Amino acid sequence: MNDMAKNLILWLVIAAVLLTVFNNFSVDSTPQTMNYSQFVQQVQNQQVRSVTIDGYTITGERTDGSQFQTIRPAADDPKLMDDLLANNVTVVGKEPEQQSLWTRLLIASFPILLILAIFVFFMRQMQGGAGGKGGPMSFGKSKAKLLSHDQVKTTFSDVAGCDEAKEEVEELVDFLRDPSKFQRLGGTIPRGVLMVGPPGTGKTLLAKSIAGEAKVPFFSISGSDFVEMFVGVGASRVRDMFEQAKKQAPCIIFIDEIDAVGRSRGAGMGGGNDEREQTLNQLLVEMDGFEANEGIIVIAATNRPDVLDPALLRPGRFDRQVVVPLPDIRGREHILNVHLRKVPLADDVKPVLIARGTPGFSGADLANLVNEAALFAARRNKRLVSMEELELAKDKIMMGAERRSMVMTEKEKLNTAYHESGHAIIGLVMPEHDPVYKVTIIPRGRALGVTMFLPEQDRYSLSRQQLISQICSLFGGRIAEEMTLGPNGVTTGASNDIKRATELAHNMVAKWGLSEEMGPVMYDEDESHQFLGGAGQGGKLKSGETTTKLDKEVRKIIDECYAKAKQILEENRDKLDAMAEALMQYETVDSTQLKDIMEGRQPRPPEGWDDPSGGASPSGGETDPEPAPSQDEDEEDDEPRRRPSDPLGGPAGS
């Protein structure tokens, strides 16, 4: 229902209310009513001075000056006029009202008008209402949402952690505000800007801030909104979107997840999606075809730039690619300051400490951290969010939620304690390994126990020594089980550790050239484009002899790391037992307690610890290992980096 219809209904309701009030409070001036017999009798008694006859209604005045009214029966009374004239009653006749020509036409045409109104109503509903969107007949219309310049409230002050990306797009704002500044020198603004970065880094927020700063209309649409089951719908929607944008120019069109419609053409195994390719062709033409779209800037966002069609990325379409990376420590601090403005904070909150302890977090992760901290504070009926809630939220995001309701036997708890202690001791002893942040045997997420390593600073690459240290620490849990339970007592809990260690060793040999035997050669086939029209083009075929050498070299690295880890644990058996005992007592051991254990001292109890038996015991039921993200992502420049603070899952059945 449009605004005009709503206003009409509102005025009709107001008129009805006013009419009711007027009728209730108006002065009753209706003349006295009597029946027809009384009227005839009074006429014959000469008590009536004058009458006015209006159809069946007779009104008049008596000789005493009072007014009266009566209704004449439907039966004819031919003697009435004789009685009136005989008794000297003045008779006045009233001309009957006749309807005007327009009134008669309106009454006659009302059924037809009603049918037409119903037909128009249903047609508009099928086309999606007043805006023409959402109905079954509107599949050819653009689904882009238009935000006017006063609706976009986001500015550059709301975006943090990507200063370089903000500098790249600031000139877009200058052009939209004052295009003559660039046109005087013959310069043209980029027609399209492609924002590339991992999920959650703020690409959409940055695009909205451009529209908010420039004070121009902002069209927002997702790449998946173009293509549907009908042939030609996507191309029609692209045309309609640019037609609407031309009417609002200068303006910004933002296409989120453009890889849904902009993938390389001819990319299917056995044939491509023709409808999607038609949509992409129309988008290419609209961005740089015969017709110029002056004043329209297309901003797109994706985390898969490698799958986009080359024609879409060429100059003239997307002239500029803006990388929005994961924030560094200063960027994380600025992002936290933005989100912490929305919650009441205690005096002990220090954003710099939180930023230092969250390497690899995206802006969305940090927003989630602040929200989780606020929820923790609300559960505790606090009025302020303190550092304690922020630390709890960080642990929950990095290691998973605690599952204290899970019942575990003492034997399983002890095995988990030795497993996690093995991980921690190897991580503390091996050179260039990330420091151990926390060890717990409280089930978190899908893991029975977690050992969390936290790097001291942001890390963008891995050395060979760091990789060797990681492989050694991954085997620490299995070796600790073997030392305490014997070869036949080793559990399946190390399955995920073995998988990650094997992947690291294989990548060292086949991808990263970190093997002296195999040399700096890429042996793995490039499978990133096998479903994008490039199957078999970038791959390398290996001979059987080469494959055998690769397997031997991987096994050599695994065996050396396994032996090194076993040697470390055997040399530190007393510390392994002490750490397992501390975990059985406290359930969670932090870095200060780990330092006490490694220096041969009794670990200090955690803050607020009173009764060792007062803590709830974790317990066991589910047996799936923690699927921790791998730490070997930095060899892929086009892949989003995982946060380097990945936990090692405890023993669990696989």
Side-chain angles (χ1 to χ4, degrees):
M1 185 179 295
N2 56 18
D3 294 339
M4 184 179 295
K6 292 180 180 178
N7 292 334
L8 180 61
I9 292 175
L10 178 62
W11 283 112
L12 289 175
V13 172
I14 293 174
V17 172
L18 292 177
L19 183 62
T20 303
V21 173
F22 177 78
N23 289 335
N24 290 336
F25 291 95
S26 60
V27 179
D28 188 8
S29 60
T30 305
Q32 181 183 0
T33 303
M34 63 181 176
N35 58 43
Y36 187 71
S37 300
Q38 293 175 339
F39 166 68
V40 173
Q41 186 177 1
Q42 289 184 6
V43 170
Q44 292 175 354
N45 294 335
Q46 295 185 351
Q47 295 177 349
V48 178
R49 179 181 301 169
S50 63
V51 295
T52 301
I53 301 176
D54 182 9
Y56 289 101
T57 303
I58 299 176
T59 58
E61 181 183 0
R62 299 185 182 91
T63 55
D64 58 1
S66 62
Q67 304 290 328
F68 69 89
Q69 179 179 331
T70 186
I71 304 298
R72 181 174 63 84
D76 292 337
D77 186 3
K79 295 182 179 181
L80 176 61
M81 293 301 298
D82 296 337
D83 291 342
L84 292 172
L85 295 175
N87 292 283
N88 298 322
V89 178
T90 304
V91 179
V92 179
K94 196 170 184 180
E95 182 181 2
E97 294 183 359
Q98 293 185 355
Q99 295 178 340
S100 65
L101 176 62
W102 289 108
T103 304
R104 293 197 297 269
L105 287 176
L106 180 61
I107 294 174
S109 60
F110 179 75
I112 299 175
L113 294 176
L114 180 62
I115 294 173
L116 288 176
I118 295 174
F119 176 77
V120 171
F121 173 77
F122 280 106
M123 286 299 296
R124 290 175 66 84
Q125 290 298 315
M126 292 180 68
Q127 293 178 358
K133 299 178 183 178
M137 300 294 291
S138 66
F139 48 79
K141 299 294 184 180
S142 170
K143 291 188 176 182
K145 299 178 182 178
L146 172 61
L147 301 176
S148 61
H149 62 86
D150 55 346
Q151 289 179 292
V152 183
K153 306 296 184 182
T154 307
T155 61
F156 283 151
S157 61
D158 300 315
V159 183
C162 51
D163 296 337
E164 294 82 2
K166 286 167 64 174
E167 293 175 2
E168 286 277 345
V169 299
E170 278 180 352
E171 67 181 34
L172 295 179
V173 177
D174 294 338
F175 174 81
L176 291 170
R177 288 177 175 173
D178 185 16
S180 61
K181 172 182 176 181
F182 298 87
Q183 293 170 352
R184 282 196 302 266
L185 300 175
T188 58
I189 201 68
R191 298 188 182 182
V193 176
L194 181 65
M195 295 188 179
V196 180
T201 51
K203 299 182 289 294
T204 304
L205 186 66
L206 185 58
K208 289 186 68 175
S209 67
I210 297 173
E213 291 283 348
K215 301 298 182 183
V216 295
F218 183 81
F219 289 88
S220 176
I221 191 170
S222 171
S224 60
D225 288 334
F226 289 109
V227 182
E228 286 192 7
M229 61 179 292
F230 303 105
V231 177
V233 169
S236 175
R237 287 178 176 173
V238 172
R239 288 191 294 268
D240 185 68
M241 180 180 67
F242 277 88
E243 285 296 329
Q244 295 181 30
K246 290 176 184 177
K247 299 175 183 178
Q248 301 286 340
C251 65
I252 292 174
I253 296 177
F254 177 64
I255 306 176
D256 199 9
E257 304 296 345
I258 194 174
D259 52 276
V261 71
R263 289 175 177 261
S264 296
R265 290 168 288 183
M269 298 296 287
N273 186 334
D274 186 61
E275 169 62 11
R276 182 180 54 76
E277 291 184 5
Q278 288 185 25
T279 306
L280 175 59
N281 291 337
Q282 186 63 42
L283 182 61
L284 296 175
V285 172
E286 291 291 345
M287 290 189 68
D288 187 19
F290 281 104
E291 294 185 10
N293 294 318
E294 298 295 338
I296 300 177
I297 297 177
V298 180
I299 301 177
T302 181
N303 49 30
R304 293 295 308 276
D306 54 307
V307 305
L308 297 180
D309 193 276
L312 194 64
L313 301 177
R314 73 158 176 83
R317 292 193 175 112
F318 284 108
D319 306 89
R320 180 175 299 179
Q321 293 190 23
V322 177
V323 179
V324 188
L326 291 171
D328 56 12
I329 182 171
R330 294 182 61 187
R332 292 194 297 273
E333 183 182 357
H334 294 161
I335 293 173
L336 283 168
N337 288 328
V338 171
H339 293 296
L340 289 173
R341 291 198 304 241
K342 306 173 185 177
V343 296
L345 298 177
D347 296 334
D348 63 341
V349 174
K350 296 180 180 179
V352 64
L353 297 181
I354 306 172
R356 189 179 302 158
T358 52
F361 272 47
S362 66
D365 291 328
L366 295 172
N368 186 35
L369 186 149
V370 174
N371 182 63
E372 289 287 348
L375 295 179
F376 273 121
R379 293 192 198 108
R380 299 179 175 188
N381 297 320
K382 289 187 174 182
R383 301 179 62 183
L384 300 175
V385 177
S386 66
M387 198 69 177
E388 180 182 0
E389 283 78 37
L390 291 168
E391 288 291 341
L392 289 174
K394 183 180 70 172
D395 290 347
K396 179 180 179 181
I397 294 173
M398 297 176 72
M399 297 189 293
E402 291 186 355
R403 299 167 59 197
R404 290 186 174 271
S405 61
M406 189 174 175
V407 180
M408 292 175 61
T409 64
E410 288 297 316
K411 181 179 179 181
E412 288 174 329
K413 286 177 60 177
L414 183 60
N415 184 36
T416 303
Y418 273 107
H419 185 105
E420 301 305 329
S421 299
H423 286 312
I425 290 176
I426 301 296
L428 291 167
V429 173
M430 287 298 295
E432 298 187 33
H433 198 284
D434 292 332
V436 182
Y437 165 63
K438 188 175 291 186
V439 184
T440 180
I441 59 172
I442 299 174
R444 284 181 175 268
R446 293 165 56 191
L448 300 184
V450 177
T451 300
M452 177 63 67
F453 300 100
L454 194 63
E456 295 177 338
Q457 57 188 1
D458 293 337
R459 189 181 59 202
Y460 304 100
S461 61
L462 291 170
S463 66
R464 189 179 190 278
Q465 180 59 59
Q466 288 174 326
L467 293 170
I468 294 295
S469 298
Q470 283 190 26
I471 296 174
C472 290
S473 65
L474 285 167
F475 283 124
R478 176 186 171 88
I479 296 172
E481 292 183 15
E482 185 178 350
M483 292 173 59
T484 55
L485 301 175
N488 294 329
V490 177
T491 68
T492 59
S495 60
N496 188 57
D497 300 333
I498 295 173
K499 175 185 175 183
R500 293 171 58 190
T502 306
E503 288 177 352
L504 285 174
H506 178 81
N507 290 336
M508 288 175 63
V509 176
K511 285 187 177 181
W512 301 329
L514 297 178
S515 168
E516 295 181 1
E517 179 70 22
M518 304 306 296
V521 180
M522 177 77 170
Y523 292 101
D524 265 359
E525 294 184 1
D526 184 9
E527 299 178 355
S528 60
H529 297 283
Q530 67 174 358
F531 295 106
L532 299 173
Q537 297 179 4
K540 281 193 173 185
L541 298 177
K542 300 188 291 291
S543 66
E545 181 182 357
T546 302
T547 303
T548 303
K549 288 183 178 179
L550 284 173
D551 293 340
K552 288 182 178 180
E553 193 65 17
V554 171
R555 181 58 186 269
K556 178 183 175 183
I557 294 176
I558 294 293
D559 290 342
E560 290 177 354
C561 292
Y562 195 91
K564 180 66 175 176
K566 188 172 184 179
Q567 178 186 353
I568 292 174
L569 289 182
E570 288 176 347
E571 294 174 354
N572 295 272
R573 177 59 190 264
D574 56 335
K575 298 179 178 61
L576 179 66
D577 295 333
M579 192 175 298
E581 182 182 351
L583 284 171
M584 290 294 291
Q585 182 179 4
Y586 302 124
E587 294 185 334
T588 299
V589 177
D590 58 19
S591 57
T592 58
Q593 294 170 298
L594 292 174
K595 184 178 179 181
D596 292 339
I597 294 173
M598 296 305 292
E599 293 177 355
R601 299 193 302 268
Q602 185 70 18
R604 68 196 74 176
E607 185 179 353
W609 179 265
D610 294 326
D611 184 9
S613 62
S617 22
S619 49
E622 212 168 304
T623 56
D624 288 334
E626 170 75 21
S630 64
Q631 297 179 333
D632 54 315
E633 294 292 335
D634 42 9
E635 82 283 5
E636 298 285 348
D637 292 337
D638 56 350
E639 291 282 338
R641 276 184 53 84
R642 301 279 185 168
R643 66 182 64 124
S645 52
D646 294 325
L648 295 176
S654 57

